[in-house]
Amino acid sequence: MDQDFQPTRRMVLAGLAGTAAVPALGRPAMAQDAEPPRAIRQRERHLLNDDWSFVRGDLKSAADADANGTDWSAVTLPHTWNAKDSIDDEPGYYRGPGWYRRELRVDDRWRDKRVFLYFEGANQVADVFVDGAPVGRHVGGYVAFCADVTDQLRRVKPGGAATIAVRVDNAYNPDIPPLWADFTFYGGIYRNVWLVVTDPVHIDLLDHGSSGIYVDTPDVSAASADVRVRGRVVNADPETTWVDVVSTVVDARDREVTSRRTRLKLGRGETGDFDLSLPAIRRPRLWSPESPYLYKVITVVDGGRGGRDRVDAPLGLRWYSVDAATGFHLNGSSYPLRGVNRHQDIVGKGNALSDAEHLRDLEIIKSMGANVLRLAHYPQAPAVLEAADRLGVILWEEVPLVSTVTVSDQFAANSVNMQVETVRQHYNHPSIVFRGYMNEILLLPPQPEPAGYERFVVDLARRLEETTRAEDPRRLTVMAVDRNDRYNTSGIADVPMILGWNLYHGWYYDTPDGFAQYLDKEHADHPNRPLWVSEYGADSDSRLHRVDAGYLPVDPATGGVSYQDQSIEFQQLFHEVYIRAIDKRPFLVGTTLWAQFEFGSEFRSGSVPHVNQKGLVHPDRSPKDVFYLYQALWRDKPVLHIAGHEWTHRAGTAPDAPWGAGRRPVPQPVKVYSNLDSVELFINGRSLGRRQPDDVRAATWQVPFVDGANEIVARGVARGKVITDSVRVSFTYQAPRLSDPSVPFRRLAVSAGAIVQYTDPQSLVWAEDRAYTDGGWGAIGGTTGLMRTWVNRSSEDPLYQTFREGMTAYRFDVPAGRYGVRLRFAEPSENARGKRVFSVRLNEQVLVNDLDLVAVAGPRTAHDLEGTVAVTNADGLKVVFNPTVGHAVVSGIDVTRL
């Protein structure tokens, strides 16, 4: 990251869970730590993450050893140049070239060695130079690549230094996937870089960035396991040599289990392949998410004269299968796969994550109880795969063909090469069971769609399927598609071994109940096709709440769904409906919810702009309450969590309270997620009774909140031990009649057009909108709306995004007194001046004449007005809107007694 990196308002906003009393999960992630990938771990290697200089843009002389200039800045890897501009208010982010440079002091001991640069990842085209000479180019942003720099370093004088320069370019290229996707294509060298030194006789490092060793388990059972080891040895020695190759399996305590050796004769500059079938392992310990036992395969090459090379590979012994009727089977038993999707992203930091941050993410996923992880939508860092092996998380790995393709031979060739690189680099990880290669690939065909487009896509899928099976015949292939029958009619749905459906009934379309109906129809129509629910989810925002969450309205004309409810409570309801349906359908191979963590997607314009908000965990890695729904379902350990840690400021009224009754208790729901037999809930020390969690491990009470502080405690017993959870809720009582003297009026804030409550940075609860009622408050006329873009010059997007349009007034039947009124505006639809002009009065007092929001602020930009008014009679306060052109509009009204 840039050393002058400072958080912007969007970065601060992305850490919304800071307002919630829920701690971050997992161990702290250090900014700088890296463990070498297994491909290079046993060799001499040096981490090259420090002492880089960076410049954004293109410089003709940047690769030259003597290049200099004032535009270069010091950076440390991992690094991306899009950490800031992908979350600011300006549409778009920089996609183009950037240069990195650093000096490398050359060790005289390397003179008779082979020296390589190993990049774990750079997005998306990288050209590598040493002292101005090109040494390698890599196309594709999500796998490793390796460059031999031996000859260039031998030209350096003893004790001297070489200059490494790397040009990285994340510009759109029609021949390089991904072309478009719902995530940010961060540019930069965003993973670790290593210098690797080997002997002249060594295991091949230049086979598509792989370790050069491939471990297979042709036959595994509870009784025995066969192990096969393949690889290639390179002789860079000037003489012919005999090479001894030994592959040994050791257990977790480094005790030898089985071994085999062979001998190769290699001439000068020759390579030789070996293929060893080791004696069977008797009564092996099997690998599974519950018991991720790892053996290790040690392959040693002895080239004589003391020259040796060694590569270690993880070995997890397991076998698996899928069945269209009974789902997934692991080690001979039915094994439902339940898990999540994950992007390699922290909002505000981009994709430049340390190994510790990757590991923390995997630990959080495991702690929730997930047994499978889909790496969306690209291969991820070596640290992720190694953590999955060790922790016991089954992986679905895929290459980044997302939403659309380019009809060209080069696009197809790059796609196939990406899959070959991915398979070979990650071949030995036992956690990888599923290999994917397309996601929603027919979602965005070019317009107009060229003739033969669909056939090209289907043929490319078949080519990728054939390539995957040829490269890795023992793993299962899979493809994820969106809700479109074109996948069935085109035949592409039957290309992979498993078909994954990305389904969002109740969020983008239909109601949540349509999810189960869709699955049943697909299963009935294609009974021999193994099915996976590869994505499902709904956005949420910890500032938004709904007292009685329900399904979102469906537009009968389009079938689309309004996003007016991005509340935490709707997200919980959505997941509860889905997981009920999932657990009743044993034919599903697996399910992976969208997504474990919120992540960056620059074009998105929800209540938190530039962020996909469907995550169960906030960008700062603190969990949302819905996280514990899954933990209670999927973990054996006792779980007891009040699903209200994100809703610590509430407001409400007792609508039937008589005049003069004072502040009354207001019943509102409080939910607890728990896998205990029963849970008792208390408010301010008083028991509200004991309840048994239902089929989704939820129990709900109507809790009588009182004005002020409310201490909520949940209590249960697990294995004889008392377990508790608690949350403190500040509640603001609002009298049904604002002039009731037993409840003196203080303040009322209204989120115009909203069906949810909004909690602002000062913990003020803005009430959902409503029509005027006598003695109370509300709108007179108008219709509600939702702005489908972010709001400039404010971090309070959800307050400004909703609006009421065309009303004549808002009325507040407050008692006589002096009041301050603050109005919130943002032009939701007009782009030109003079299209919407209106005046605003507070009773008979003019607040503003001829307000043109585009003229004074600009489209979709926050603009506030404040005024004071004296109320002298029983008519209360009216905020009156008089349109001159078009309709008046308002997003928020805040009334305070002075």
Side-chain angles (χ1 to χ4, degrees), residues 94-96 124-125 169-180 185 404-406 411:
Y94 178 73
R95 297 191 64 183
Q124 68 179 353
V125 177
D169 192 344
N170 71 332
Y172 173 84
N173 186 318
D175 287 328
I176 303 176
L179 303 177
W180 184 95
F185 299 169
T404 188
V405 307
T406 298
F411 182 92

Side-chain angles (χ1 to χ4, degrees), residues 864-880:
D864 297 355
L865 292 174
E866 295 185 47
T868 59
V869 61
V871 174
T872 59
N873 55 43
D875 290 336
L877 168 63
K878 281 186 180 179
V879 182
V880 181

Side-chain angles (χ1 to χ4, degrees), residues 197 637 681 704 711:
V197 182
K637 79 163 194 175
L681 195 73
E711 187 74 23

Side-chain angles (χ1 to χ4, degrees), residues 112-167:
D112 297 323
K113 303 285 187 177
R114 304 302 297 182
V115 186
F116 304 84
L117 289 175
Y118 185 89
F119 295 78
E120 293 185 18
N123 197 34
Q124 68 179 353
V125 177
D127 293 284
V128 185
F129 303 83
V130 175
D131 286 337
V135 295
R137 169 174 248 239
H138 184 258
V139 175
Y142 300 101
V143 290
F145 58 97
C146 191
D148 188 336
V149 297
T150 305
D151 293 342
Q152 286 71 29
L153 296 189
R154 283 177 177 172
R155 299 189 184 106
V156 178
K157 295 179 181 179
T163 298
I164 301 170
V166 187
R167 182 186 187 273

